């Protein structure tokens, strides 16, 4: 298996623009997680899905953030409008169980100027 | 609020020594414990999982769990410069993993 795939790997955008991050989980993994990592706050869970259904989005910082999973092999995290404080590395991870080992994608480094 | 605490480091050890990384957690019902390694600019990589009290060994790595003390540790024997990275502790109890902020390890040649 190719592992978790994320795109783009790097994104530089201007404040106010819409940003869409993409993730393909490992085939057969029913759980998909979106994280944000910064030096100050570490790794923060934003939202997770089970069988394409959002289970807990309490970590989503603001209404500017939204996530979808239209099918078992694809998820998006959208920020609209983006702000400089959204600059971080965003990871997608997948797992067989809620509390099981998670496997991370390579991440998307987002810079908002 | 479930919390996982790690010393941020940096922890510096000479090449060939044993590196000891520690983690405490707040949720007493936690059942699953993981150690991830994250190189600078890379994503977290799972290196160890442990579910029962005691030690679990895998090559140069040993994970130790003490549920009564709510404490989990990772020992790296014969540390190599290539072990220099940030090590993240993750804990779960029928919920998604809660990650600590990580301990930065530096192995000096």
């Amino acid at each position: 298996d190719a592992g978790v795939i994320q795109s783009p790997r790097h994104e530089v955008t201007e404040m106010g623009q819409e940003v869409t991050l993409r993730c393909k989980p490992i085939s057969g993994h029913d759980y998909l997680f979106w994280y944000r990592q910064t030096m100050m706050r570490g790794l923060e869970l934003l939202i997770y899905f089970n069988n394409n259904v959002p289970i807990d989005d309490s970590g989503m910082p603001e209404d500017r953030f939204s996530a979808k999973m239209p099918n078992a092999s694809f998820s998006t995290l959208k920020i609209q409008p983006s702000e400089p404080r959204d600059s971080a590395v965003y990871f997608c991870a997948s797992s067989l169980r809620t509390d099981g080992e998670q496997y991370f994608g390579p991440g998307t480094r987002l810079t908002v100027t | 609020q479930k919390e996982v605490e790690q010393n941020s480091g940096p922890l510096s050890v000479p090449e060939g020594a044993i590196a000891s990384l520690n983690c405490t957690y707040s949720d007493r019902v936690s059942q699953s414990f993981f150690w991830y390694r994250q190189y600078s600019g890379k994503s977290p990589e799972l290196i160890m999982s442990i579910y029962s009290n005691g030690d679990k060994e895998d090559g140069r790595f040993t994970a130790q769990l003490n549920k009564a003390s709510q404490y989990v540790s990772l020992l790296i024997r014969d540390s190599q410069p290539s072990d220099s990275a940030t090590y993240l502790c993750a804990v779960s109890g029928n919920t998604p993993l809660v990650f600590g902020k990580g301990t930065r390890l530096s192995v000096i040649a």
Side-chain angles (χ1 to χ4, degrees):
Chain A
D1 199 314
V4 177
I5 298 172
Q6 291 186 249
S7 65
R9 296 292 303 274
H10 301 274
E11 178 79 36
V12 180
T13 191
E14 293 183 348
M15 182 173 62
Q17 297 299 306
E18 178 179 295
V19 175
T20 299
L21 311 182
R22 297 171 176 80
C23 175
K24 175 179 167 55
I26 293 172
S27 178
H29 282 192
D30 292 332
Y31 290 85
L32 183 140
F33 306 84
W34 281 101
Y35 290 91
R36 178 173 67 178
Q37 187 176 44
T38 60
M39 289 292 293
M40 289 295 294
R41 300 174 69 89
L43 200 59
E44 300 175 278
L45 177 63
L46 301 177
I47 185 172
Y48 78 98
F49 295 83
N50 175 214
N51 291 326
N52 315 335
V53 176
I55 303 301
D56 185 355
D57 65 354
S58 60
M60 297 285 259
E62 300 173 32
D63 291 345
R64 298 184 296 108
F65 287 69
S66 62
K68 295 181 180 179
M69 192 165 185
N71 58 63
S73 59
F74 184 66
S75 178
T76 59
L77 178 67
K78 185 175 295 186
I79 308 173
Q80 166 63 17
S82 58
E83 296 183 3
R85 60 191 167 125
D86 301 331
S87 298
V89 180
Y90 292 81
F91 289 107
C92 175
S94 70
S95 177
L96 288 169
R97 308 191 317 266
T98 305
D99 61 347
E101 296 93 341
Q102 292 182 16
Y103 297 89
F104 284 76
T108 296
R109 182 172 296 276
L110 174 64
T111 303
V112 183
T113 61
Chain B
Q1 179 103 6
K2 300 174 184 177
E3 294 184 344
V4 177
E5 300 288 341
Q6 297 182 256
N7 188 316
S8 63
L11 172 66
S12 294
V13 300
E15 183 176 358
I18 296 175
S20 178
L21 305 164
N22 305 313
C23 172
T24 59
Y25 57 95
S26 63
D27 189 358
R28 286 193 168 275
V29 301
S30 298
Q31 302 285 341
S32 307
F33 307 85
F34 307 91
W35 283 99
Y36 285 79
R37 177 177 61 199
Q38 187 175 23
Y39 292 115
S40 180
K42 302 296 185 182
S43 59
E45 173 193 11
L46 179 67
I47 55 172
M48 290 285 287
S49 59
I50 186 167
Y51 304 95
S52 303
N53 279 329
D55 295 0
K56 179 181 178 181
E57 187 174 316
D58 183 359
R60 294 186 297 112
F61 299 99
T62 298
Q64 299 175 318
L65 175 61
N66 184 325
K67 291 185 179 179
S69 300
Q70 297 177 236
Y71 179 90
V72 58
S73 64
L74 179 70
L75 302 179
I76 306 175
R77 290 182 300 280
D78 189 23
S79 295
Q80 301 297 310
S82 59
D83 294 325
S84 297
T86 296
Y87 289 80
L88 303 172
C89 172
V91 175
S92 174
N94 297 318
T95 57
L97 274 57
V98 177
F99 284 84
K101 292 188 176 180
T103 297
R104 188 156 58 93
L105 173 66
S106 179
V107 181
I108 310 301

